[in-house]
Amino acid sequence: MRSGHIARLSVTVGVLLATGACASPGGVAGVSTLPPAAEVAATGPGKVTATIPTPSPTPAAQASVTRPAGDDPVRVPPPKLSNFSYVFPVKDCRVSYESRLLVLPKTTIWTGKGCSFVSPVNGVVDEVNAKNRWKPSTDRGPDREGRFVTVIGDDGVRYLGGHLDRITPGIKPGVRVSAGQTLGQVGNSGNARSTASNLYFAISWKTDHSLWWVRRGMVPPWNYLDAWLDGNRTLSPAEESRAVMNRVGASPKCSTLCAAKPGSTDKPEKPSPTPEEKIPLGN
């Protein structure tokens, strides 16, 4: 009787132990194998257990980055483009000029009255007109530039500076000049008398002085003025001058702004004698 009771008690204890073991999912008492969400739910209502990660700092919160100071830019000299050295034809004055074709292939350099017109390159003075002969009643072609000086450069190119107020003493045909040497002072002589002071600047080649329309400009000068002003002092117009001369001839006929007013004569006055000197167009 007593042994039967003991046997029933043993069976009851075994069932209880088996039931407790089944209540622990991992099979080990006190260790949970539920996923995190299930574990939170299992802790009971109103109680949440979680770990909130610390946010990474945003770019705005990061310290600013200071770039190291760089070296100064290296100034590279412009390439040597010819064997000649040029200067801008107006010295020590503020200037402005058109860089496009208006009527003739020349340019008007606007600057202050009395500013120096200088030789753009080493060369020899070719023509000097110290008298302002232009009159609005006649408007003769040879007189339109007023007082002017031309130089035949060592590059073989002729350079004209017109509308001058006066010519520098000692500047006369045959005198050798250097680049940057003053030839006269800027004014508004000739047909510029009703305008502000300016320099009529033109590039051509040496011809007989009676061919005044060649003297007043055959080669657009602004690309060379730009280069000389910006510091590229070896860009030469010699090659372009030679090309234009070969295309139109050394003594072309006048084709633009050729006629004077009715009743006037276009016969030029006898030019100053100039020593015979042939200078080839260089490069």
Side-chain angles (χ1 to χ4, degrees):
M1 183 73 170
R2 183 179 179 84
S3 60
H5 178 72
I6 294 174
R8 286 195 301 271
L9 182 61
S10 299
V11 171
T12 302
V13 171
V15 171
L16 291 174
L17 290 176
T19 304
C22 291
S24 180
V28 179
V31 178
S32 174
T33 59
L34 293 173
E39 184 177 5
V40 171
T43 59
K47 186 176 182 181
V48 177
T49 302
T51 301
I52 301 175
T54 303
S56 301
T58 61
Q62 295 178 353
S64 60
V65 178
T66 302
R67 294 184 179 182
D71 296 333
D72 293 335
V74 178
R75 297 185 64 85
V76 179
K80 184 177 180 181
L81 302 176
S82 74
N83 294 324
F84 306 101
S85 181
Y86 298 87
V87 299
F88 194 84
V90 175
K91 184 179 181 180
D92 298 333
C93 285
R94 187 170 183 174
V95 300
S96 63
Y97 55 91
E98 291 283 355
S99 294
R100 60 192 177 97
L101 180 64
L102 296 175
V103 179
L104 297 168
K106 56 88 179 178
T107 195
T108 300
I109 302 177
W110 300 98
T111 190
K113 186 173 183 178
C115 292
S116 295
F117 163 53
V118 301
S119 180
V121 68
N122 296 344
V124 176
V125 176
D126 182 41
E127 294 177 89
V128 175
N129 181 23
K131 185 176 180 180
N132 185 16
R133 300 184 177 90
W134 184 81
K135 298 177 182 179
S137 60
T138 58
D139 192 29
R140 294 176 64 248
D143 302 336
R144 288 174 183 143
E145 282 70 65
R147 298 181 185 93
F148 66 83
V149 176
T150 65
V151 171
I152 306 297
D154 289 349
D155 56 0
V157 177
R158 177 167 58 181
Y159 302 92
L160 164 71
H163 298 328
L164 300 178
D165 185 57
R166 67 185 185 91
I167 309 297
T168 300
I171 296 300
K172 57 185 179 180
V175 170
R176 182 154 189 86
V177 294
S178 301
Q181 182 175 338
T182 300
L183 306 178
Q185 276 65 49
V186 174
N188 59 344
S189 61
N191 65 354
R193 75 176 189 176
S194 60
T195 70
S197 57
N198 65 87
L199 178 72
Y200 184 113
F201 185 74
I203 295 176
S204 60
W205 51 86
K206 187 174 182 179
T207 58
D208 186 87
H209 294 171
S210 63
L211 303 180
W212 51 267
W213 52 89
V214 178
R215 174 187 72 209
R216 68 183 179 177
M218 298 295 292
V219 178
W222 40 84
N223 288 341
Y224 306 101
L225 292 174
D226 290 347
W228 304 340
L229 190 62
D230 291 343
N232 190 336
R233 303 298 176 84
T234 62
L235 182 63
S236 174
E239 183 177 347
E240 186 175 4
S241 298
R242 182 170 52 246
V244 174
M245 184 179 67
N246 291 339
R247 185 174 71 248
V248 303
S251 303
K253 293 183 178 181
C254 184
S255 60
T256 305
L257 298 179
C258 303
K261 288 188 175 180
S264 63
T265 175
D266 242 356
K267 184 178 180 181
E269 297 185 16
K270 186 177 181 181
S272 304
T274 304
E276 287 296 325
E277 182 179 11
K278 292 183 179 181
I279 302 177
L281 287 169
N283 51 32

PDB file of all heavy atoms in Angstrom, residues 46 55 62 73 87 94 99 106 109 117 131 159 164 166 175 184 200 203 209 228 246 255 261 269 281:
ATOM      1  N   GLY A  46       4.214  47.571 -20.086  1.00  0.00           N
ATOM      2  CA  GLY A  46       4.696  48.788 -19.457  1.00  0.00           C
ATOM      3  C   GLY A  46       6.171  48.801 -19.185  1.00  0.00           C
ATOM      4  O   GLY A  46       6.696  49.773 -18.650  1.00  0.00           O
ATOM      5  N   PRO A  55      24.427  58.483 -31.940  1.00  0.00           N
ATOM      6  CA  PRO A  55      24.518  58.885 -33.367  1.00  0.00           C
ATOM      7  C   PRO A  55      25.917  59.357 -33.734  1.00  0.00           C
ATOM      8  O   PRO A  55      26.625  59.959 -32.920  1.00  0.00           O
ATOM      9  CB  PRO A  55      23.502  60.026 -33.471  1.00  0.00           C
ATOM     10  CG  PRO A  55      23.397  60.564 -32.070  1.00  0.00           C
ATOM     11  CD  PRO A  55      23.584  59.379 -31.167  1.00  0.00           C
ATOM     12  N   GLN A  62      31.500  68.335 -37.352  1.00  0.00           N
ATOM     13  CA  GLN A  62      32.923  68.044 -37.403  1.00  0.00           C
ATOM     14  C   GLN A  62      33.717  69.331 -37.476  1.00  0.00           C
ATOM     15  O   GLN A  62      33.240  70.358 -37.943  1.00  0.00           O
ATOM     16  CB  GLN A  62      33.227  67.160 -38.605  1.00  0.00           C
ATOM     17  CG  GLN A  62      32.595  65.768 -38.508  1.00  0.00           C
ATOM     18  CD  GLN A  62      32.883  64.945 -39.738  1.00  0.00           C
ATOM     19  OE1 GLN A  62      33.437  65.445 -40.690  1.00  0.00           O
ATOM     20  NE2 GLN A  62      32.500  63.686 -39.700  1.00  0.00           N
ATOM     21  N   PRO A  73      51.849  81.291 -57.830  1.00  0.00           N
ATOM     22  CA  PRO A  73      51.931  80.746 -59.194  1.00  0.00           C
ATOM     23  C   PRO A  73      53.266  81.091 -59.844  1.00  0.00           C
ATOM     24  O   PRO A  73      53.832  82.172 -59.620  1.00  0.00           O
ATOM     25  CB  PRO A  73      50.767  81.429 -59.922  1.00  0.00           C
ATOM     26  CG  PRO A  73      50.425  82.622 -59.095  1.00  0.00           C
ATOM     27  CD  PRO A  73      50.761  82.277 -57.691  1.00  0.00           C
ATOM     28  N   VAL A  87      57.673  97.557 -78.210  1.00  0.00           N
ATOM     29  CA  VAL A  87      57.029  98.221 -77.085  1.00  0.00           C
ATOM     30  C   VAL A  87      55.719  98.820 -77.576  1.00  0.00           C
ATOM     31  O   VAL A  87      55.544  99.077 -78.766  1.00  0.00           O
ATOM     32  CB  VAL A  87      57.914  99.335 -76.481  1.00  0.00           C
ATOM     33  CG1 VAL A  87      59.220  98.762 -75.961  1.00  0.00           C
ATOM     34  CG2 VAL A  87      58.180 100.450 -77.485  1.00  0.00           C
ATOM     35  N   ARG A  94      47.456 105.990 -69.642  1.00  0.00           N
ATOM     36  CA  ARG A  94      46.344 105.064 -69.790  1.00  0.00           C
ATOM     37  C   ARG A  94      45.798 105.157 -71.212  1.00  0.00           C
ATOM     38  O   ARG A  94      45.663 106.262 -71.756  1.00  0.00           O
ATOM     39  CB  ARG A  94      45.255 105.405 -68.783  1.00  0.00           C
ATOM     40  CG  ARG A  94      44.120 104.392 -68.747  1.00  0.00           C
ATOM     41  CD  ARG A  94      43.206 104.662 -67.582  1.00  0.00           C
ATOM     42  NE  ARG A  94      42.155 103.667 -67.500  1.00  0.00           N
ATOM     43  CZ  ARG A  94      41.276 103.599 -66.498  1.00  0.00           C
ATOM     44  NH1 ARG A  94      41.352 104.472 -65.518  1.00  0.00           N
ATOM     45  NH2 ARG A  94      40.350 102.662 -66.496  1.00  0.00           N
ATOM     46  N   SER A  99      39.610  97.068 -81.123  1.00  0.00           N
ATOM     47  CA  SER A  99      40.273  95.870 -81.635  1.00  0.00           C
ATOM     48  C   SER A  99      39.428  95.241 -82.742  1.00  0.00           C
ATOM     49  O   SER A  99      39.166  94.041 -82.749  1.00  0.00           O
ATOM     50  CB  SER A  99      40.518  94.867 -80.513  1.00  0.00           C
ATOM     51  OG  SER A  99      41.437  95.370 -79.590  1.00  0.00           O
ATOM     52  N   LYS A 106      43.554 100.127 -89.358  1.00  0.00           N
ATOM     53  CA  LYS A 106      44.384 100.920 -88.452  1.00  0.00           C
ATOM     54  C   LYS A 106      43.625 100.996 -87.140  1.00  0.00           C
ATOM     55  O   LYS A 106      42.544 100.426 -86.993  1.00  0.00           O
ATOM     56  CB  LYS A 106      44.642 102.315 -89.036  1.00  0.00           C
ATOM     57  CG  LYS A 106      43.389 103.096 -89.388  1.00  0.00           C
ATOM     58  CD  LYS A 106      42.843 103.899 -88.217  1.00  0.00           C
ATOM     59  CE  LYS A 106      41.607 104.698 -88.576  1.00  0.00           C
ATOM     60  NZ  LYS A 106      41.056 105.448 -87.407  1.00  0.00           N
ATOM     61  N   ILE A 109      44.201 105.109 -80.921  1.00  0.00           N
ATOM     62  CA  ILE A 109      44.554 104.868 -79.520  1.00  0.00           C
ATOM     63  C   ILE A 109      44.193 106.127 -78.730  1.00  0.00           C
ATOM     64  O   ILE A 109      44.844 107.161 -78.855  1.00  0.00           O
ATOM     65  CB  ILE A 109      46.046 104.533 -79.364  1.00  0.00           C
ATOM     66  CG1 ILE A 109      46.401 103.294 -80.202  1.00  0.00           C
ATOM     67  CG2 ILE A 109      46.387 104.297 -77.899  1.00  0.00           C
ATOM     68  CD1 ILE A 109      47.875 102.931 -80.173  1.00  0.00           C
ATOM     69  N   PHE A 117      54.325 109.518 -77.852  1.00  0.00           N
ATOM     70  CA  PHE A 117      54.319 108.514 -78.917  1.00  0.00           C
ATOM     71  C   PHE A 117      55.756 108.051 -79.080  1.00  0.00           C
ATOM     72  O   PHE A 117      56.661 108.861 -79.310  1.00  0.00           O
ATOM     73  CB  PHE A 117      53.801 109.111 -80.226  1.00  0.00           C
ATOM     74  CG  PHE A 117      54.139 108.291 -81.447  1.00  0.00           C
ATOM     75  CD1 PHE A 117      53.820 106.940 -81.525  1.00  0.00           C
ATOM     76  CD2 PHE A 117      54.788 108.875 -82.539  1.00  0.00           C
ATOM     77  CE1 PHE A 117      54.138 106.186 -82.643  1.00  0.00           C
ATOM     78  CE2 PHE A 117      55.101 108.129 -83.669  1.00  0.00           C
ATOM     79  CZ  PHE A 117      54.785 106.786 -83.722  1.00  0.00           C
ATOM     80  N   LYS A 131      53.985 120.026 -89.814  1.00  0.00           N
ATOM     81  CA  LYS A 131      53.016 121.089 -90.050  1.00  0.00           C
ATOM     82  C   LYS A 131      51.629 120.495 -90.237  1.00  0.00           C
ATOM     83  O   LYS A 131      51.447 119.544 -91.006  1.00  0.00           O
ATOM     84  CB  LYS A 131      53.407 121.893 -91.288  1.00  0.00           C
ATOM     85  CG  LYS A 131      52.520 123.097 -91.530  1.00  0.00           C
ATOM     86  CD  LYS A 131      53.013 123.908 -92.727  1.00  0.00           C
ATOM     87  CE  LYS A 131      52.118 125.120 -92.968  1.00  0.00           C
ATOM     88  NZ  LYS A 131      52.582 125.911 -94.139  1.00  0.00           N
ATOM     89  N   TYR A 159      55.781 101.965 -89.497  1.00  0.00           N
ATOM     90  CA  TYR A 159      54.851 102.318 -88.429  1.00  0.00           C
ATOM     91  C   TYR A 159      54.559 103.813 -88.498  1.00  0.00           C
ATOM     92  O   TYR A 159      55.469 104.630 -88.625  1.00  0.00           O
ATOM     93  CB  TYR A 159      55.446 101.971 -87.059  1.00  0.00           C
ATOM     94  CG  TYR A 159      55.792 100.506 -86.925  1.00  0.00           C
ATOM     95  CD1 TYR A 159      57.071 100.045 -87.255  1.00  0.00           C
ATOM     96  CD2 TYR A 159      54.855  99.567 -86.503  1.00  0.00           C
ATOM     97  CE1 TYR A 159      57.401  98.699 -87.149  1.00  0.00           C
ATOM     98  CE2 TYR A 159      55.171  98.223 -86.392  1.00  0.00           C
ATOM     99  CZ  TYR A 159      56.450  97.799 -86.719  1.00  0.00           C
ATOM    100  OH  TYR A 159      56.770  96.462 -86.625  1.00  0.00           O
ATOM    101  N   LEU A 164      49.526 114.010 -84.074  1.00  0.00           N
ATOM    102  CA  LEU A 164      50.413 114.466 -83.006  1.00  0.00           C
ATOM    103  C   LEU A 164      50.230 115.955 -82.739  1.00  0.00           C
ATOM    104  O   LEU A 164      49.895 116.742 -83.632  1.00  0.00           O
ATOM    105  CB  LEU A 164      51.865 114.169 -83.373  1.00  0.00           C
ATOM    106  CG  LEU A 164      52.223 112.692 -83.594  1.00  0.00           C
ATOM    107  CD1 LEU A 164      53.686 112.558 -84.005  1.00  0.00           C
ATOM    108  CD2 LEU A 164      51.931 111.869 -82.342  1.00  0.00           C
ATOM    109  N   ARG A 166      52.867 117.715 -81.376  1.00  0.00           N
ATOM    110  CA  ARG A 166      54.159 118.244 -81.819  1.00  0.00           C
ATOM    111  C   ARG A 166      55.129 117.096 -82.012  1.00  0.00           C
ATOM    112  O   ARG A 166      54.929 115.979 -81.505  1.00  0.00           O
ATOM    113  CB  ARG A 166      54.711 119.260 -80.825  1.00  0.00           C
ATOM    114  CG  ARG A 166      55.126 118.717 -79.467  1.00  0.00           C
ATOM    115  CD  ARG A 166      55.548 119.839 -78.531  1.00  0.00           C
ATOM    116  NE  ARG A 166      56.058 119.338 -77.257  1.00  0.00           N
ATOM    117  CZ  ARG A 166      57.344 119.065 -77.028  1.00  0.00           C
ATOM    118  NH1 ARG A 166      58.234 119.244 -77.995  1.00  0.00           N
ATOM    119  NH2 ARG A 166      57.728 118.622 -75.850  1.00  0.00           N
ATOM    120  N   VAL A 175      67.151 109.614 -89.167  1.00  0.00           N
ATOM    121  CA  VAL A 175      67.652 109.468 -87.804  1.00  0.00           C
ATOM    122  C   VAL A 175      67.320 108.074 -87.279  1.00  0.00           C
ATOM    123  O   VAL A 175      66.195 107.595 -87.427  1.00  0.00           O
ATOM    124  CB  VAL A 175      67.035 110.537 -86.882  1.00  0.00           C
ATOM    125  CG1 VAL A 175      67.356 110.251 -85.415  1.00  0.00           C
ATOM    126  CG2 VAL A 175      67.536 111.916 -87.266  1.00  0.00           C
ATOM    127  N   GLY A 184      57.201 112.012 -80.526  1.00  0.00           N
ATOM    128  CA  GLY A 184      56.316 113.167 -80.505  1.00  0.00           C
ATOM    129  C   GLY A 184      55.321 113.040 -79.372  1.00  0.00           C
ATOM    130  O   GLY A 184      55.325 112.060 -78.612  1.00  0.00           O
ATOM    131  N   TYR A 200      46.766 108.194 -84.000  1.00  0.00           N
ATOM    132  CA  TYR A 200      46.436 107.396 -85.188  1.00  0.00           C
ATOM    133  C   TYR A 200      47.624 106.459 -85.395  1.00  0.00           C
ATOM    134  O   TYR A 200      48.739 106.898 -85.668  1.00  0.00           O
ATOM    135  CB  TYR A 200      46.261 108.320 -86.391  1.00  0.00           C
ATOM    136  CG  TYR A 200      45.827 107.642 -87.672  1.00  0.00           C
ATOM    137  CD1 TYR A 200      44.576 107.898 -88.218  1.00  0.00           C
ATOM    138  CD2 TYR A 200      46.663 106.773 -88.369  1.00  0.00           C
ATOM    139  CE1 TYR A 200      44.167 107.299 -89.412  1.00  0.00           C
ATOM    140  CE2 TYR A 200      46.269 106.166 -89.542  1.00  0.00           C
ATOM    141  CZ  TYR A 200      45.025 106.432 -90.067  1.00  0.00           C
ATOM    142  OH  TYR A 200      44.626 105.836 -91.239  1.00  0.00           O
ATOM    143  N   ILE A 203      50.109 100.304 -89.511  1.00  0.00           N
ATOM    144  CA  ILE A 203      51.207  99.420 -89.921  1.00  0.00           C
ATOM    145  C   ILE A 203      51.115  99.191 -91.429  1.00  0.00           C
ATOM    146  O   ILE A 203      50.033  98.906 -91.952  1.00  0.00           O
ATOM    147  CB  ILE A 203      51.140  98.075 -89.173  1.00  0.00           C
ATOM    148  CG1 ILE A 203      51.357  98.288 -87.670  1.00  0.00           C
ATOM    149  CG2 ILE A 203      52.172  97.091 -89.721  1.00  0.00           C
ATOM    150  CD1 ILE A 203      51.213  97.012 -86.857  1.00  0.00           C
ATOM    151  N   HIS A 209      56.649 108.120-100.993  1.00  0.00           N
ATOM    152  CA  HIS A 209      55.858 108.961-100.098  1.00  0.00           C
ATOM    153  C   HIS A 209      54.581 109.475-100.742  1.00  0.00           C
ATOM    154  O   HIS A 209      53.663 109.905-100.033  1.00  0.00           O
ATOM    155  CB  HIS A 209      56.715 110.132 -99.616  1.00  0.00           C
ATOM    156  CG  HIS A 209      57.846 109.696 -98.747  1.00  0.00           C
ATOM    157  ND1 HIS A 209      58.854 110.552 -98.350  1.00  0.00           N
ATOM    158  CD2 HIS A 209      58.160 108.486 -98.214  1.00  0.00           C
ATOM    159  CE1 HIS A 209      59.730 109.905 -97.598  1.00  0.00           C
ATOM    160  NE2 HIS A 209      59.320 108.648 -97.511  1.00  0.00           N
ATOM    161  N   TRP A 228      51.904  93.382 -77.237  1.00  0.00           N
ATOM    162  CA  TRP A 228      52.926  94.269 -76.672  1.00  0.00           C
ATOM    163  C   TRP A 228      52.465  94.865 -75.352  1.00  0.00           C
ATOM    164  O   TRP A 228      53.257  95.041 -74.432  1.00  0.00           O
ATOM    165  CB  TRP A 228      53.264  95.391 -77.654  1.00  0.00           C
ATOM    166  CG  TRP A 228      53.714  94.901 -79.006  1.00  0.00           C
ATOM    167  CD1 TRP A 228      54.208  93.664 -79.314  1.00  0.00           C
ATOM    168  CD2 TRP A 228      53.690  95.631 -80.240  1.00  0.00           C
ATOM    169  NE1 TRP A 228      54.487  93.559 -80.660  1.00  0.00           N
ATOM    170  CE2 TRP A 228      54.183  94.754 -81.260  1.00  0.00           C
ATOM    171  CE3 TRP A 228      53.302  96.914 -80.600  1.00  0.00           C
ATOM    172  CZ2 TRP A 228      54.301  95.150 -82.593  1.00  0.00           C
ATOM    173  CZ3 TRP A 228      53.416  97.310 -81.921  1.00  0.00           C
ATOM    174  CH2 TRP A 228      53.920  96.442 -82.905  1.00  0.00           C
ATOM    175  N   ASN A 246      52.309  90.989-100.633  1.00  0.00           N
ATOM    176  CA  ASN A 246      52.340  90.049-101.752  1.00  0.00           C
ATOM    177  C   ASN A 246      50.962  89.893-102.386  1.00  0.00           C
ATOM    178  O   ASN A 246      50.850  89.646-103.592  1.00  0.00           O
ATOM    179  CB  ASN A 246      52.861  88.694-101.281  1.00  0.00           C
ATOM    180  CG  ASN A 246      54.339  88.726-100.919  1.00  0.00           C
ATOM    181  OD1 ASN A 246      55.073  89.612-101.364  1.00  0.00           O
ATOM    182  ND2 ASN A 246      54.779  87.777-100.108  1.00  0.00           N
ATOM    183  N   SER A 255      41.757 102.648-102.622  1.00  0.00           N
ATOM    184  CA  SER A 255      40.417 102.102-102.814  1.00  0.00           C
ATOM    185  C   SER A 255      39.413 102.587-101.777  1.00  0.00           C
ATOM    186  O   SER A 255      38.207 102.412-101.963  1.00  0.00           O
ATOM    187  CB  SER A 255      40.458 100.565-102.792  1.00  0.00           C
ATOM    188  OG  SER A 255      40.967 100.104-101.547  1.00  0.00           O
ATOM    189  N   LYS A 261      37.762 116.846-101.237  1.00  0.00           N
ATOM    190  CA  LYS A 261      36.535 117.576-101.554  1.00  0.00           C
ATOM    191  C   LYS A 261      36.689 118.274-102.901  1.00  0.00           C
ATOM    192  O   LYS A 261      37.799 118.616-103.314  1.00  0.00           O
ATOM    193  CB  LYS A 261      36.232 118.576-100.452  1.00  0.00           C
ATOM    194  CG  LYS A 261      35.759 117.908 -99.164  1.00  0.00           C
ATOM    195  CD  LYS A 261      35.271 118.915 -98.153  1.00  0.00           C
ATOM    196  CE  LYS A 261      34.706 118.207 -96.934  1.00  0.00           C
ATOM    197  NZ  LYS A 261      34.218 119.171 -95.911  1.00  0.00           N
ATOM    198  N   GLU A 269      52.670 117.697-101.209  1.00  0.00           N
ATOM    199  CA  GLU A 269      53.838 118.553-101.237  1.00  0.00           C
ATOM    200  C   GLU A 269      55.096 117.706-101.316  1.00  0.00           C
ATOM    201  O   GLU A 269      55.099 116.524-100.977  1.00  0.00           O
ATOM    202  CB  GLU A 269      53.864 119.430 -99.979  1.00  0.00           C
ATOM    203  CG  GLU A 269      52.683 120.378 -99.889  1.00  0.00           C
ATOM    204  CD  GLU A 269      52.800 121.313 -98.713  1.00  0.00           C
ATOM    205  OE1 GLU A 269      53.916 121.425 -98.164  1.00  0.00           O
ATOM    206  OE2 GLU A 269      51.794 121.934 -98.353  1.00  0.00           O
ATOM    207  N   LEU A 281      61.666  92.918 -95.178  1.00  0.00           N
ATOM    208  CA  LEU A 281      60.716  92.540 -94.147  1.00  0.00           C
ATOM    209  C   LEU A 281      61.253  91.327 -93.415  1.00  0.00           C
ATOM    210  O   LEU A 281      61.379  90.245 -93.974  1.00  0.00           O
ATOM    211  CB  LEU A 281      59.348  92.234 -94.760  1.00  0.00           C
ATOM    212  CG  LEU A 281      58.563  93.456 -95.239  1.00  0.00           C
ATOM    213  CD1 LEU A 281      57.365  93.001 -96.047  1.00  0.00           C
ATOM    214  CD2 LEU A 281      58.126  94.320 -94.076  1.00  0.00           C
TER     215      LEU A 281
END
